[in-house]
């Protein structure tokens, strides 16, 4: 039996659309979690955040605690406790050490701004020169505020 080419093409198209939608959902979830973390780091209590976002206090606690266990640089693998600062993009984290040492090379899609440009790459993420420079400025600006 041969497969109907039109149905096969429709199934492939639906599969591609499904994968793209899942990628977008994963990014949206990461951005949401990062936003919750930023609220907490800015001094918001877990209860205040939960109430403002119409979610349970326990869920906010899970998001905050999960980030403490899994927060690591996507380029070198160092944990947050092993570096000075971390910069978060919508789909990746990079430490201050990788920001200062990162060298862009081959063209790829930046995990921070999604533009196609020469990038510094790891197995998990890529970052373009513009985002490296921006991250360095943010980290040095945050350090000068102390």
């Amino acid at each position: 039996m041969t497969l109907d080419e039109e149905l096969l093409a429709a199934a492939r198209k639906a599969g591609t659309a499904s994968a793209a939608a899942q990628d977008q959902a994963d990014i949206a979830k990461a951005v949401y979690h990062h936003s919750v973390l930023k609220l907490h780091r800015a001094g918001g209590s877990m209860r205040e955040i939960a109430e403002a976002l119409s979610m349970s206090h326990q869920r906010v606690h899970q998001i905050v605690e999960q980030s403490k266990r899994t927060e690591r640089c996507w380029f070198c693998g160092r944990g947050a406790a092993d570096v000075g600062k971390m910069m978060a993009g919508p789909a990746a984290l990079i430490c201050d050490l990788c920001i200062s040492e990162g060298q862009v090379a081959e063209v790829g899609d930046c995990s921070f701004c999604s533009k196609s440009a020469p990038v510094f790459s790891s197995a998990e993420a890529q970052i373009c020169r513009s985002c490296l420079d921006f991250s360095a400025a943010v980290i040095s600006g945050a350090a000068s505020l102390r």
Side-chain angles (χ1 to χ4, degrees):
M1 179 177 139
T2 60
L3 295 175
D4 181 305
E5 290 298 320
E6 283 184 42
L7 292 175
L8 185 58
R12 286 182 178 144
K13 185 176 178 180
T16 300
S18 175
Q22 184 61 54
D23 287 346
Q24 289 300 314
D26 290 343
I27 290 169
K29 181 179 178 181
V31 169
Y32 181 60
H33 284 200
H34 182 68
S35 298
V36 169
L37 287 170
K38 284 173 51 175
L39 284 168
H40 185 257
R41 289 178 183 151
S45 75
M46 290 186 204
R47 291 199 186 279
E48 289 172 318
I49 296 166
E51 185 176 315
L53 296 176
S54 301
M55 60 194 303
S56 73
H57 165 261
Q58 290 85 358
R59 183 65 187 127
V60 174
H61 185 54
Q62 286 174 338
I63 292 169
V64 170
E65 289 303 311
Q66 179 183 18
S67 77
K68 289 179 183 175
R69 289 190 306 272
T70 61
E71 201 169 75
R72 61 178 180 76
C73 179
W74 288 32
F75 293 83
C76 67
R78 291 181 189 103
D82 300 326
V83 298
K85 297 274 185 192
M86 292 279 233
M87 182 70 180
L93 290 168
I94 187 167
C95 71
D96 54 348
L97 301 171
C98 287
I99 289 169
S100 66
E101 298 169 1
Q103 297 297 318
V104 297
E106 296 180 24
V107 172
D109 293 331
C110 180
S111 301
F112 288 73
C113 69
S114 300
K115 292 180 183 169
S116 184
V119 292
F120 171 51
S121 296
S122 75
E124 296 183 71
Q126 302 179 110
I127 186 169
C128 68
R129 170 55 51 203
S130 177
C131 289
L132 275 169
D133 293 344
F134 175 76
S135 297
V138 169
I139 286 176
S140 67
S144 68
L145 292 175
R146 290 183 168 181

